[in-house]
Amino acid sequence: MFNKNPNSLTRIGVFYDGNYFLHVSNYYNYTHERRSRISINGLHDFVRQKVAELENSETRLCQIVDAHYFRGRLTAGEASQRGDLLYYERVFDDILMSEGVTTHYLPVRSSLGKKYEKGIDVWLALEAFEMAFYKRFDVLVLIAADGDYVPLVRKLNTLGTRVMVLGWDFEYTDEDGSRFYTRTSQDLLAEVTYPVAMQDVINGRDEALTNQLFVPRNKGKIFTKQGEVASENTSEVSPDTDLTGDHRKESYILSLKEGFGFIKYPPNNVFFHYTSLRDYDFNDLLIGDRVQFTLEEKEGGRAVGYDVVVLQ
């Protein structure tokens, strides 16, 4: 416990590794049984409550005085050719803005046909340390999982700033059907003052707390510029594709799993991932829905569907 005036304010700074947070939110929206996205507002309320519990204070005295979100971002030209990506990014920006979160973006880089983020972790670390130094956060909350943040935590420790890490451990299937694991770095957890295993919190017995952390599906809908309904914080669509060409295939949904499914298309069924679905919520798909898609064969002859469009 830390000695301080029981009525003094505990100042909290929150820093998001945006790509990691989006990855976690997608997991809970498409793969986990919750089928809903993480609520920024609910997460901030949880942070204040958790800090109050750990610092032996009251929630009203634990306030988030700064919150920052870091992520790579496509250029406007690239985003405009990916369906409604520009619109969905603006929607999420509005959500962050409404919760007082400052956004920081770096351009997404390209190499050998693949896009990747570069420098986000360094930028986050520099900004977090500088703000902690000048603004004297009592607790800095890091929403990240990478061991590359260990030097940041060690530097924050020299300032006397307590560090809380919100980390998630889970398994998921990527767009090519491969199984991957998301794990929070043990080196990172060993350095922080308050490691919080969020998957345990969410899978725990406190239903009220768990519900607080998610966007209710009946309230988490927004209207797109075409007047159609889309999920809050939808930001991932598949690469730019001509959706009118002769190479487009048509069939129906054969089966649906946790975040992926299969389309009936002889001689082999076609795998598709939720990120390949255009302008439609994966959770609203039904077996038997007719779809149009672009077929691509991967190594080993495995068929994968991209730019999947639900036919009305």
Side-chain angles (χ1 to χ4, degrees):
M1 211 61 57
F2 300 92
N3 296 320
K4 63 178 182 179
N5 187 323
N7 293 316
S8 64
L9 187 71
T10 298
R11 294 159 296 181
I12 305 170
V14 180
F15 290 80
Y16 289 83
D17 181 323
N19 188 56
Y20 173 67
F21 177 74
L22 178 62
H23 172 66
V24 169
S25 189
N26 280 338
Y27 165 74
Y28 281 101
N29 192 46
Y30 296 113
T31 301
H32 192 270
E33 61 184 11
R34 297 292 309 190
R35 291 295 191 270
S36 185
R37 291 194 176 277
I38 301 291
S39 164
I40 299 292
N41 176 270
L43 190 62
H44 285 187
D45 284 344
F46 168 80
V47 164
R48 294 176 58 232
Q49 294 164 17
K50 194 66 177 177
V51 169
E53 172 193 331
L54 295 170
E55 298 258 315
N56 194 28
S57 182
E58 299 178 39
T59 302
R60 66 180 181 84
L61 294 175
C62 298
Q63 296 293 334
I64 296 174
V65 297
D66 251 305
H68 298 266
Y69 179 93
F70 296 78
R71 193 181 178 216
R73 187 164 174 165
L74 294 173
T75 65
E78 291 172 317
S80 67
Q81 297 183 22
R82 294 196 178 191
D84 286 334
L85 180 57
L86 277 175
Y87 174 77
Y88 293 136
E89 285 188 345
R90 178 60 60 86
V91 168
F92 188 47
D93 282 346
D94 288 348
I95 294 169
L96 293 172
M97 188 187 308
S98 69
E99 298 302 327
V101 181
T102 302
T103 54
H104 306 260
Y105 294 111
L106 281 179
V108 171
R109 306 293 184 183
S110 297
S111 178
L112 301 176
K114 293 186 177 181
K115 297 186 181 297
Y116 62 95
E117 295 182 354
K118 185 175 179 60
I120 291 294
D121 54 349
V122 175
W123 191 16
L124 187 158
L126 290 172
E127 291 288 335
F129 180 75
E130 181 179 42
M131 291 183 197
F133 180 82
Y134 286 109
K135 298 189 177 184
R136 299 297 177 185
F137 301 136
D138 296 294
V139 178
L140 187 143
V141 178
L142 191 59
I143 300 171
D146 200 324
D148 288 347
Y149 291 111
V150 166
L152 166 64
V153 175
R154 289 174 176 169
K155 295 293 286 185
L156 291 170
N157 288 338
T158 68
L159 298 178
T161 303
R162 277 89 70 193
V163 181
M164 175 184 290
V165 162
L166 304 187
W168 282 263
D169 291 351
F170 55 84
E171 300 178 15
Y172 67 98
T173 302
D174 76 350
E175 62 184 20
D176 292 329
S178 300
R179 199 71 175 171
F180 285 91
Y181 302 87
T182 293
R183 296 285 184 267
T184 305
S185 166
Q186 292 301 306
D187 291 337
L188 179 62
L189 294 175
E191 296 286 343
V192 305
T193 315
Y194 305 130
V196 181
M198 291 301 295
Q199 74 280 352
D200 293 340
V201 173
I202 290 171
N203 295 332
R205 297 181 178 180
D206 191 339
E207 190 65 22
L209 174 61
T210 301
N211 289 337
Q212 165 190 318
L213 288 168
F214 291 93
V215 177
R217 283 189 60 80
N218 61 340
K219 294 182 180 179
K221 299 286 185 176
I222 54 174
F223 286 93
T224 70
K225 57 193 175 188
Q226 289 83 11
E228 299 168 343
V229 176
S231 297
E232 177 188 327
N233 188 16
T234 301
S235 62
E236 291 207 20
V237 295
S238 47
D240 178 33
T241 302
D242 177 10
L243 299 183
T244 61
D246 293 337
H247 63 283
R248 298 285 289 169
K249 311 297 182 183
E250 186 175 321
S251 187
Y252 62 89
I253 302 294
L254 178 66
S255 63
L256 295 168
K257 306 293 183 182
E258 298 178 340
F260 64 95
F262 290 89
I263 301 169
K264 182 68 175 179
Y265 198 78
N268 298 311
N269 298 326
V270 176
F271 170 90
F272 74 99
H273 193 249
Y274 69 82
T275 55
S276 297
L277 192 63
R278 278 185 179 262
D279 304 325
Y280 204 83
D281 191 329
F282 180 87
N283 296 322
D284 292 335
L285 276 179
L286 297 174
I287 293 174
D289 281 347
R290 294 204 65 80
V291 294
Q292 191 179 79
F293 59 96
T294 298
L295 182 64
E296 182 175 326
E297 286 195 8
K298 297 293 185 179
E299 293 182 7
R302 185 162 57 90
V304 177
Y306 293 99
D307 298 293
V308 180
V309 175
V310 178
L311 300 177
Q312 304 297 328

